[in-house]
Amino acid sequence: MTTAKRLATAHVGVAVGAFGIAAFMALMQALSRANLDLPWRTARMYYLSVTAHGVLMALVFTTFFIMGLGVALTTSALQRPLRFPALGWGAFALAAIGTAGATWAILWGKATVLYTFYPPLKAHPAFYIGLTLVVVGSWLWSADIIATYRAWRREHQETAVPLAVHGLLATIIVWLIATVGVAAEMLFQLIPWSLGITDRVDPMLARMLFWYFGHPLVYFWLLPAYVVWYTVLPRVAGGKLFSDSLARMVFALFMILSAPVGFHHQFMDPGIPTGWKAFHAFNTLWILFPSFVTAFTVLASLEVAGRRRGATGLFDWIGKLPWSDPLVASVLLSMLLFAVGGFGGAINASFGMNSMVHNTAWIQGHFHLTVGSAVALTFMGTAYWLVPRLVGRELELVLLAKVQPYLWFFGMALFSFTNHVTGLQGMPRRVFDPGYLGAPAADQWRALTGVSAVGGLLLFTSAAFFLLVMLGTVLAGKRTDNVAVEFAEPLDGPPARRTVFDRFGLWVTVAIALVLLAYAVPLAQHLQMERFGSTGFKPF
Ligand code: HEM
Ligand SMILES: [Cu+2]
């Protein structure tokens, strides 16, 4: 095994472990919301569990999987080792230590602040410092991937960078711009406050910094999934990428549009002028465009695959796709769920309609389709394809791997549909009390939360299948030499030379200009106000 493969395997291992713990927590939550009387069910346990689930799924599973995937795809596509292997291991170690610290604080009940850690909820310093170390680790990882790219670039002055690396570099640029916000929140606000160096914190500033980070965070999750959709899926499905240049344009648009939209999470927050919220709302609608282009290009690539497999009619190419291949099935089903999530997202982003769904169960219905399916299910499918190539073993328990994406799909359909509906009926999210303090509609919600719990059970079973396949493959898979990581060829041929989309410096400059345009004035106005701050709260 090469160093890069070992490093990628270590990352994927942590990701899968975090996913397993978080999936178990999720089952408890779904049962609890359906008012099932588990003996250990208390408000304290509920919020501890929701915190652990949110952090381990959305922050740990995703980040580690992306780091591992990034190492594996970059070294394969550029056909060279990591520029600084020791730096790669250092990054991994730092992020792993940080994860251990934050997880300890959560599981020991010292950080029940949910994965958004809004102050004035206050956690143990180990939680904030731990998550900061995860971010610092991801920065070192970014530096290593960029250094590897630059070493390649020196030897290939005018060649277009392979598309997979183009997409990963876009991911890294989005991430580096985004994490400035959360790093500032951690270093200047939350860490000194939790250590007792300061005794008050400004919750509104914290929310601005958090959501400046929080929206581009979703593109940090999504772009690596798109990399798989564009560069791996068409090949495994037996086709070609419909257009390389459209894909590059999409990644370039995400580099510039990911950040200046954060206020769409704060439409209901006081203190931010309406005009600035509207500006972020418009930017959000722009960013739907690259996602539509992605849907078009990926579907066209799949049509190419279906036709190469013998389809001749208008739609029979859909049936010709290898729906029993674990990677293909995972990605196709994740895209179907994502399409619904995208429509819901347009509703969330519409300034006025947001008030209808804000902080209701609709929101958890929405993000389990996006990050919880488009991203997570794609990553599971990717693991079925990637892990055998990393460890040199064939996929084990193949039947479970074939069934797993379908179970996820049906479980998520039940879970997400019911949460969208109860959300529209006003059921709040993040609430332990299933009687909702006697809200008249609570009885009406009961049947739907029951269906949602059945969805949760299917999802948990699906997650368990995934874990079994991973364990089986690593421990008992048949050894194989078939370990090449290969990418789809574009129908229009790879670009002859570097295009404008490969000019990363240009896109970073535009991105920074847009961030300043969207944030400089409202942030400066906020900082000029007289601010009193809040002391901390620890409800449990
Ligand atoms: C095993 C399948 C899953 C089930 C059954 C499930 C279920 C749940 C439930 C019941 C909640 C609590 C909602 C509330 O009371 O407000 C929740 C929250 C959440 N889930 Fe999942 N989930 C699953 C998978 C995922 C995945 C794969 C991700 C992301 C990668 C994810 C991310 C989140 C996040 C970010 C929250 C919000 C936590 C918060 O409000 O602080 N979940 N999930
Ligand atoms: Cu957003």
Side-chain angles (χ1 to χ4, degrees):
M1 229 203 231
T2 63
T3 311
K5 286 197 168 179
R6 229 174 274 134
L7 186 57
T9 310
H11 279 102
V12 173
V14 175
V16 173
F19 176 84
I21 303 174
F24 179 70
M25 300 291 191
L27 178 63
M28 298 296 126
Q29 289 153 213
L31 297 180
S32 173
R33 292 211 61 144
N35 202 11
L36 219 81
D37 247 327
L38 308 165
W40 57 88
R41 181 164 165 261
T42 59
R44 181 175 178 276
M45 276 305 285
Y46 183 75
Y47 286 109
L48 186 155
S49 170
V50 176
T51 305
H53 173 72
V55 169
L56 290 177
M57 280 296 189
L59 305 178
V60 176
F61 162 62
T62 50
T63 305
F64 273 87
F65 193 87
I66 291 164
M67 287 166 68
L69 183 71
V71 169
L73 294 190
T74 305
T75 51
S76 308
L78 300 180
Q79 295 180 348
R80 60 190 307 137
L82 272 186
R83 178 76 179 80
F84 301 114
L87 183 65
W89 282 108
F92 170 75
L94 217 53
I97 293 169
T99 299
T103 310
W104 169 82
I106 298 170
L107 295 182
W108 263 250
K110 294 174 186 301
T112 306
V113 293
L114 305 175
Y115 88 112
T116 38
F117 47 87
Y118 296 143
L121 285 178
K122 192 176 191 179
H124 189 279
F127 176 81
Y128 302 118
I129 295 172
L131 289 185
T132 304
L133 290 181
V134 174
V135 171
V136 175
S138 74
W139 285 346
L140 300 183
W141 164 83
S142 303
D144 210 3
I145 302 280
I146 292 174
T148 309
Y149 161 71
R150 291 176 73 101
W152 174 89
R153 178 54 82 203
R154 272 194 292 281
E155 292 162 19
H156 305 81
Q157 293 284 349
E158 280 309 314
T159 324
V161 65
L163 180 59
V165 182
H166 184 272
L168 286 165
L169 288 171
T171 309
I172 287 174
I173 287 169
V174 168
W175 182 241
L176 293 179
I177 293 175
T179 43
V180 171
V182 73
E185 184 192 359
M186 289 292 194
L187 296 179
F188 299 119
Q189 292 196 282
L190 301 180
I191 293 178
W193 178 59
S194 72
L195 288 172
I197 299 169
T198 52
D199 60 11
R200 284 172 173 264
V201 70
D202 173 359
M204 286 191 29
L205 177 62
R207 290 171 68 91
M208 266 200 212
L209 292 173
F210 183 85
W211 285 114
Y212 165 82
F213 155 76
H215 187 81
L217 169 67
V218 314
Y219 292 110
F220 170 69
W221 299 329
L222 204 53
L223 294 192
Y226 283 5
V227 167
V228 172
W229 297 5
Y230 281 122
T231 70
V232 179
L233 171 74
R235 184 174 188 113
V236 179
K240 292 193 168 199
L241 171 61
F242 179 71
S243 166
D244 180 284
S245 22
L246 276 182
R248 278 175 213 261
M249 177 195 76
V250 161
F251 288 122
L253 286 175
F254 278 118
M255 281 187 261
I256 60 177
L257 289 172
S258 290
V261 296
F263 289 167
H264 70 208
H265 293 266
Q266 298 184 272
F267 285 149
M268 298 297 129
D269 279 19
I272 300 168
T274 306
W276 287 107
K277 291 179 180 173
F279 181 55
H280 285 223
F282 283 128
N283 289 345
T284 307
L285 298 178
W286 275 112
I287 208 170
L288 291 176
F289 173 64
S291 287
F292 286 137
V293 176
T294 299
F296 170 78
T297 312
V298 176
L299 283 179
S301 309
L302 290 170
E303 181 175 348
V304 172
R307 299 210 178 283
R308 283 163 63 111
R309 292 167 157 268
T312 49
L314 199 54
F315 289 118
D316 60 337
W317 54 270
I318 300 174
K320 297 270 185 206
L321 297 173
W323 286 88
S324 62
D325 177 273
L327 172 99
V328 174
S330 300
V331 173
L332 293 180
L333 296 173
S334 83
M335 287 170 61
L336 282 176
L337 295 171
F338 190 46
V340 182
F343 281 111
I347 289 173
N348 303 343
S350 306
F351 202 158
M353 274 195 281
N354 184 273
S355 63
M356 190 169 67
V357 296
H358 186 73
N359 261 341
T360 69
W362 166 286
I363 300 300
Q364 77 215 26
H366 166 72
F367 65 64
H368 282 89
L369 291 177
T370 49
V371 65
S373 293
V375 174
L377 188 51
T378 293
F379 285 179
M380 287 185 260
T382 306
Y384 294 140
W385 168 83
L386 182 65
V387 169
R389 287 167 169 76
L390 293 179
V391 299
R393 289 173 184 269
E394 282 175 18
L395 199 66
E396 192 60 34
L397 302 173
V398 177
L399 185 63
L400 293 189
K402 286 178 193 243
V403 174
Q404 182 271 331
Y406 292 90
L407 260 184
W408 192 274
F409 181 81
F410 288 115
M412 196 52 92
L414 296 180
F415 180 84
S416 148
F417 178 74
T418 49
N419 278 293
H420 276 92
V421 174
T422 47
L424 285 178
Q425 295 172 341
M427 186 173 100
R429 70 185 273 226
R430 292 176 156 175
V431 164
F432 167 69
D433 170 20
Y436 303 96
L437 291 170
D443 284 336
Q444 188 188 346
W445 299 333
R446 190 88 67 229
L448 287 166
T449 49
V451 177
S452 164
V454 173
L457 200 62
L458 292 181
L459 285 166
F460 178 72
T461 314
S462 171
F465 282 11
F466 170 68
L467 293 174
L468 285 175
V469 175
M470 284 295 110
L471 274 179
T473 302
V474 173
L475 299 177
K478 264 206 288 308
R479 302 238 174 232
T480 170
D481 298 328
N482 182 15
V483 294
V485 171
E486 289 169 328
F487 299 95
E489 283 166 21
L491 209 55
D492 50 358
R497 42 192 291 134
R498 278 180 92 163
T499 67
V500 65
F501 300 127
D502 283 10
R503 305 279 165 191
F504 292 101
L506 169 70
W507 301 108
V508 172
T509 312
V510 178
I512 292 175
L514 280 177
V515 162
L516 292 177
L517 194 64
Y519 272 101
V521 172
L523 187 64
Q525 284 174 343
H526 180 80
L527 293 177
Q528 277 165 12
M529 277 192 281
E530 192 174 357
R531 294 172 300 133
F532 305 103
S534 170
T535 51
F537 263 100
K538 290 186 178 172
F540 301 107

